[in-house]
Amino acid sequence: MKINIIPFKNIVLPALLILSFASCKKFVEADLATNLISKEDAFATDASATSATLSLYSYFPTIQAIQYQSWLGGLSSDELQNTTANAELIQYSQNVVATTNSFYQFIWNYPYQVIRESNLIIDGVNRSTGISPAVRSQLTGEAKFFRALMYFNMVNCFGGIPITSDVSELNNSFTPRATLAENYMLIIADLRDAQNLLPESYTGTASLKVRANKWAATALLAKVYLYNRDYVNAEAEAGKVISSGTYTMATLGNAFITSSPETILQLATLFGASGFTSYRTTSSANNVAPPAYVLNNSFTRDFELNDNRKTSWVDSTTFNAVKYYRINKYKVQTATAATLGNEYTVLFRLGELYLIRAEARAQQNNIAGSQNDLNVIRTRAGLANTPAVTQTGLLAAIARERKLELFGEYGNRWFDLKRTATADAVLGPIKSTYRSTSQLFPIPAAQILLNANLTQNPGYN
């Protein structure tokens, strides 16, 4: 199905750019360029404010931050390998990332740009007198959802980072790093607000699930609680999504299509080809160059015999006599106005919520409940019920299922190894240059030069 995409790049982003200069008006008085609108006009009506907020979904930094979170996180773990000779990508594969690595723009600069736009939207919407209450709630909830998502990804890469909630960039310039606890307090508060502000139903074309609703905020909140070892709340929030009746597990072949009943939130693309088509090349014939990011050869050994995820979600190509395993979750490689695809980019899906609840239940020694949730995932994969019957066995089984279910999705494997304190045991034997301090990326050197209040992570001074 085709969705009409407003060209926000030309219309909305210039409008948002002018917002950042509003605080400078006292110093410089100048007429607006003809292709810009004022902050007041940007949030004057439901329509204009909605256009500004929808830019978050198609905003280039949003897309790139999510993509590189997946790629760089995958390289840093035991999930992906890079087939190019790019020296800076090799730093991630070897866990020796330099403070001057240019890929930081994607996982530091770009997320902060999205956070900045979210702050501007929250402020603009709440100051406006021309927006209806329902739209005000919707747009504020969406902006807080995206702000929480970006902070969540960043703290899992860098540890505690500066909280830049002021709409004036000058006031954020010398903000020191917040503690991890302070970052998570803001993330949880934003997601709690988003839960209350967003409707359960989808705004726009409901079947496409391309705008955040209450369940998208709840899904991320469940993940946040899991990462904070708050297993009671992780179980409760995941359970809300599962029991909502809104989602069901899809078949493996349909899990990533636009009409998948499993999808909780996806980012629309213009013609229906996901932002992760780069995991593939245009042909599976031999001697066709592989994509830049492929699965580690050892990764596929963890699939059990008859695990249908291996046949449905992984394929291979051979180049110069070397076999490469490619992620095949998204099947559409190219799409145009004449040949529309049927895939967007899935941000959250029901399968992950079952795994979150399974782990939260296992941590609370609810063995039967954890087994039931884990078996939902295994049954869809064509496997028998889990043989794990103890807490220790179940946690190990869940970690394995998370690896095989969520690969290629947003650095989940990298984050899992770190939060479960298994990174040293898994990565140490296979990466000679890995050190425990590699679990956090260094704060970019350029940012420390700009902000003397920033401190560097251990191991990078």
Side-chain angles (χ1 to χ4, degrees):
M1 178 181 294
K2 181 179 179 181
I3 181 171
N4 292 323
I5 305 292
I6 300 173
F8 299 115
K9 179 179 179 182
N10 296 325
I11 297 176
V12 176
L13 293 186
L16 289 177
L17 286 174
I18 198 61
L19 305 187
S20 66
F21 297 117
S23 61
C24 299
K25 187 174 177 64
K26 67 185 70 175
F27 304 108
V28 178
E29 292 289 346
D31 294 333
L32 293 178
T34 56
N35 64 333
L36 300 178
I37 61 175
S38 68
K39 178 179 179 179
E40 290 73 20
D41 288 341
F43 297 102
T45 66
D46 285 355
S48 63
T50 297
S51 292
T53 304
L54 287 181
S55 69
L56 288 171
Y57 293 87
S58 59
Y59 190 30
F60 185 74
T62 303
I63 306 302
Q64 293 275 274
I66 289 169
Q67 288 174 325
Y68 278 90
Q69 180 67 56
S70 299
W71 297 330
L72 301 182
L75 292 175
S76 299
S77 68
D78 59 343
E79 180 179 80
L80 298 181
Q81 60 183 355
N82 169 44
T83 65
T84 74
N86 187 300
E88 292 190 309
L89 287 178
I90 291 172
Q91 291 178 15
Y92 288 92
S93 296
Q94 296 180 344
N95 300 100
V96 288
V97 183
T99 61
T100 55
N101 189 291
S102 67
F103 284 92
Y104 283 130
Q105 66 176 312
F106 302 110
I107 57 174
W108 180 280
N109 297 1
Y110 282 6
Y112 267 125
Q113 287 185 41
V114 178
I115 289 167
R116 171 173 166 268
E117 301 303 340
S118 299
N119 290 337
L120 290 168
I121 290 166
I122 292 167
D123 180 71
V125 166
N126 290 334
R127 287 177 180 274
S128 173
T129 59
I131 302 175
S132 66
V135 171
R136 187 186 310 276
S137 294
Q138 172 79 37
L139 304 186
T140 303
E142 287 174 291
K144 289 196 171 191
F145 169 82
F146 274 102
R147 186 168 69 180
L149 176 62
M150 292 298 135
Y151 273 124
F152 173 77
N153 286 340
M154 290 188 74
V155 298
N156 280 285
C157 287
F158 299 101
I161 57 171
I163 294 174
T164 59
S165 56
D166 200 303
V167 295
S168 170
E169 289 301 291
L170 291 176
N171 294 337
N172 295 323
S173 299
F174 302 104
T175 304
R177 298 177 69 169
T179 65
L180 197 60
E182 290 169 336
N183 283 134
Y184 270 120
M185 282 180 61
L186 174 62
I187 292 167
I188 291 171
D190 271 354
L191 292 174
R192 283 292 190 191
D193 286 346
Q195 271 187 320
N196 294 327
L197 291 167
L198 293 170
E200 293 185 10
S201 58
Y202 288 94
T203 303
T205 305
S207 62
L208 295 181
K209 304 173 186 175
V210 294
R211 290 184 65 180
N213 67 349
K214 176 179 180 177
W215 303 126
T218 305
L220 180 53
L221 184 60
K223 189 171 186 174
V224 169
Y225 279 133
L226 182 73
Y227 277 50
N228 279 268
R229 297 182 174 84
D230 184 346
Y231 301 119
V232 172
N233 276 319
E235 178 186 5
E237 298 303 324
K240 290 176 185 177
V241 180
I242 293 168
S243 63
S244 68
T246 307
Y247 314 100
T248 58
M249 294 293 285
T251 62
L252 291 174
N254 290 333
F256 294 90
I257 64 174
T258 53
S259 59
S260 170
E262 185 176 347
T263 297
I264 298 169
L265 181 64
Q266 58 190 347
L267 297 180
T269 59
L270 187 58
F271 299 125
S274 167
F276 288 102
T277 55
S278 54
Y279 279 135
R280 293 188 48 81
T281 46
T282 57
S283 173
S284 60
N286 286 348
N287 224 37
V288 174
Y293 307 99
V294 297
L295 288 171
N296 273 321
N297 287 334
S298 61
F299 186 93
T300 57
R301 299 172 192 163
D302 277 355
F303 286 103
E304 295 177 42
L305 187 65
N306 300 321
D307 189 330
N308 292 328
R309 289 173 297 196
K310 184 176 181 181
T311 54
S312 182
W313 289 354
V314 178
D315 72 353
S316 64
T317 187
T318 300
F319 182 66
N320 290 342
V322 178
K323 188 173 185 178
Y324 296 94
Y325 291 96
R326 303 179 303 190
I327 300 174
N328 192 33
K329 288 181 172 179
Y330 294 99
K331 319 295 185 187
V332 177
Q333 296 170 26
T334 59
T336 66
T339 57
L340 296 178
N342 66 337
E343 293 173 349
Y344 290 154
T345 299
V346 177
L347 279 181
F348 292 100
R349 56 188 180 90
L350 187 62
E352 183 175 1
L353 273 295
Y354 273 111
L355 288 169
I356 289 172
R357 193 170 71 174
E359 185 175 341
R361 285 176 164 177
Q363 291 285 2
Q364 298 173 84
N365 217 28
N366 178 355
I367 302 302
S370 179
Q371 288 172 324
N372 289 338
D373 284 340
L374 188 59
N375 288 336
V376 171
I377 302 300
R378 291 180 59 83
T379 298
R380 196 258 294 273
L383 299 173
N385 287 345
T386 180
V389 294
T390 66
Q391 183 186 57
T392 301
L394 266 173
L395 289 173
I398 292 165
R400 180 171 175 154
E401 290 299 329
R402 285 184 64 88
K403 176 181 179 180
L404 300 176
E405 179 72 19
L406 301 175
F407 64 90
E409 298 180 48
Y410 313 115
N412 276 299
R413 175 63 174 168
W414 175 230
F415 291 171
D416 283 349
L417 289 175
K418 296 191 293 179
R419 71 179 179 84
T420 59
T422 55
D424 288 358
V426 171
L427 301 180
I430 63 175
K431 298 186 178 187
S432 61
T433 51
Y434 170 84
R435 300 291 183 270
S436 292
T437 51
S438 302
Q439 293 183 36
L440 291 178
F441 297 144
I443 304 300
Q447 296 300 318
I448 292 178
L449 284 174
L450 291 171
N451 180 359
N453 291 322
L454 283 181
T455 56
Q456 186 56 272
N457 280 327
Y460 298 100
N461 289 311

